[in-house]
């Protein structure tokens, strides 16, 4: 094996992937790859350019030429900054507008093909904790550790309500967020290409009622167990 380890973390919206993945990466000294931020950045760019979602040639051109940078400063795990084509979109990609449209853009084969290629190139030397929907199944099928994070729809909607930022605050009810999450889960898990599903060799962790440090510790201990068994094997 000539690369450093890879940890794959998949699961539906609001399961805790971003938060926990950042902490796991920080504590293990690995890089953090937020693939959802890449799909969100492309979606922001398509909306900004006013491209019709059915105009696949225009989207293909945009995604093949766009420059996405994910910059995390090591000491500050909360501060992943996202740039696309020279513009910082760290906040903008979390808006309800981008969130409502990202699953449609992420279902386009041309978008997935290009972003997966970039993700694999980015992690070619390993040493990465990557999170998304298809990491364990498609992007890094030979990852050393695969985690599938889940939580009930109610719990995930409650978390999202607390996370709403800026002008989105107070504009949407818990019921609406539950409906949005269910719709996105359904779109993500029924699309043809690389749908959201648990890899056969992934370990499921239901995070209902568990704190962020508890989930983080659980993954780190699973990783250490896995690493010592790989050494012995
Ligand atoms: O943070 P949240 O769970 O809401 O979503 P995200 O991880 O930022 O991903 C946003 C959307 O991008 C998802 O709902 C998927 O439609 C898409 N996505 C994907 O298709 N494949 C990935 N590996 C990551 C995200
Ligand atoms: O990336 P994903 O959409 O899977 O979830 P996230 O953005 O990491 O987490 C959504 C929200 O749930 C954040 O506000 C987390 O702080 C919170 N969370 C929690 O309350 N308990 C957990 N065990 C995990 C996340």
């Amino acid at each position: 094996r000539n690369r450093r380890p890879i940890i794959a973390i998949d699961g539906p919206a609001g399961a805790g992937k971003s938060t926990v993945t950042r902490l796991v990466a920080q504590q293990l000294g690995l890089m953090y790859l937020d693939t959802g931020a890449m799909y969100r950045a492309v979606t922001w760019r398509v909306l900004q350019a006013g491209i019709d979602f059915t105009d696949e040639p225009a989207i293909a051109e945009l995604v093949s030429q766009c420059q996405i940078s994910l910059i995390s400063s090591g000491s500050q795990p909360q501060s992943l900054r996202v740039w696309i084509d020279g513009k910082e979109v760290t906040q903008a990609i979390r808006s309800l507008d981008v969130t409502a449209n990202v699953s449609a853009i992420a279902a386009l084969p041309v978008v997935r093909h290009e972003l997966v290629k970039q993700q694999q190139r980015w992690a070619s030397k390993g040493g990465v904790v990557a999170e998304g929907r298809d990491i364990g199944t498609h992007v890094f099928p030979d990852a050393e550790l695969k985690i599938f994070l889940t939580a009930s729809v109610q719990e995930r909607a409650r978390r999202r309500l607390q996370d709403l930022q800026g002008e989105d605050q107070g504009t949407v009810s818990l019921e609406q967020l539950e409906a949005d999450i269910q719709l996105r889960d359904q779109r993500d898990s029924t699309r043809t290409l690389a749908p959201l599903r648990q890899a056969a060799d992934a370990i499921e962790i239901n995070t209902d009622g568990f704190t962020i440090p508890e989930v983080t510790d659980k993954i780190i201990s699973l990783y250490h167990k896995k690493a010592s068994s790989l050494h012995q094997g």
Side-chain angles (χ1 to χ4, degrees):
R1 181 180 303 276
N2 55 8
R3 65 157 174 80
R4 300 183 63 214
I6 293 180
I7 302 177
I9 303 190
D10 290 300
K17 298 179 302 296
S18 312
T19 316
V20 165
T21 302
R22 262 169 230 202
L23 291 166
V24 169
Q26 193 197 26
Q27 291 179 31
L28 292 176
L30 303 173
M31 296 190 296
Y32 164 50
L33 178 58
D34 179 353
T35 63
M38 298 172 73
Y39 290 96
R40 284 175 180 274
V42 167
T43 302
W44 178 88
R45 192 76 181 74
V46 169
L47 290 170
Q48 187 224 25
I51 297 172
D52 193 286
F53 286 14
T54 58
D55 189 350
E56 287 201 35
I59 293 176
E61 190 180 333
L62 185 149
V63 75
S64 66
Q65 291 177 2
C66 73
Q67 289 286 333
I68 302 172
S69 326
L70 305 178
I71 302 168
S72 55
S73 70
S75 57
Q76 272 281 335
Q78 303 312 339
S79 68
L80 179 87
R81 295 175 66 182
V82 184
W83 297 72
I84 186 164
D85 296 336
K87 197 158 163 37
E88 179 164 14
V89 292
T90 308
Q91 304 285 330
I93 62 167
R94 306 292 162 191
S95 71
L96 289 172
D97 188 27
V98 169
T99 302
N101 290 294
V102 61
S103 290
I105 295 294
L108 299 174
V110 58
V111 172
R112 299 205 74 77
H113 182 79
E114 182 61 35
L115 293 188
V116 167
K117 205 168 68 185
Q118 292 186 16
Q119 290 153 18
Q120 290 171 338
R121 204 184 304 133
W122 197 84
S124 60
K125 296 193 168 71
V128 170
V129 193
E131 56 116 337
R133 299 292 186 289
D134 60 341
I135 308 300
T137 52
H138 281 92
V139 183
F140 304 122
D142 60 349
E144 278 69 15
L145 177 65
K146 298 181 187 178
I147 302 290
F148 197 75
L149 279 190
T150 61
S152 66
V153 172
Q154 292 74 17
E155 172 69 20
R156 293 187 282 130
R158 203 182 52 72
R159 292 175 183 172
R160 274 305 146 92
L161 191 66
Q162 285 179 343
D163 283 348
L164 287 183
Q165 298 173 351
E167 62 189 23
D168 287 336
Q169 267 174 352
T171 63
V172 60
S173 65
L174 186 65
E175 291 68 34
Q176 184 59 49
L177 284 174
E178 277 186 26
D180 291 351
I181 281 183
Q182 258 160 343
L183 181 64
R184 195 140 60 94
D185 285 356
Q186 201 228 346
R187 282 183 182 160
D188 289 345
S189 45
T190 56
R191 69 172 174 238
T192 324
L193 200 61
L196 168 66
R197 80 187 154 72
Q198 182 170 351
D201 52 351
I203 299 165
E204 182 178 344
I205 301 177
N206 183 322
T207 67
D208 277 346
F210 289 96
T211 64
I212 293 162
E214 284 172 335
V215 178
T216 306
D217 288 352
K218 172 85 183 157
I219 295 174
I220 289 178
S221 88
L222 286 168
Y223 175 74
H224 287 314
K225 237 183 256 167
K226 200 67 184 249
S228 67
S229 76
L230 285 176
H231 271 292
Q232 279 153 19

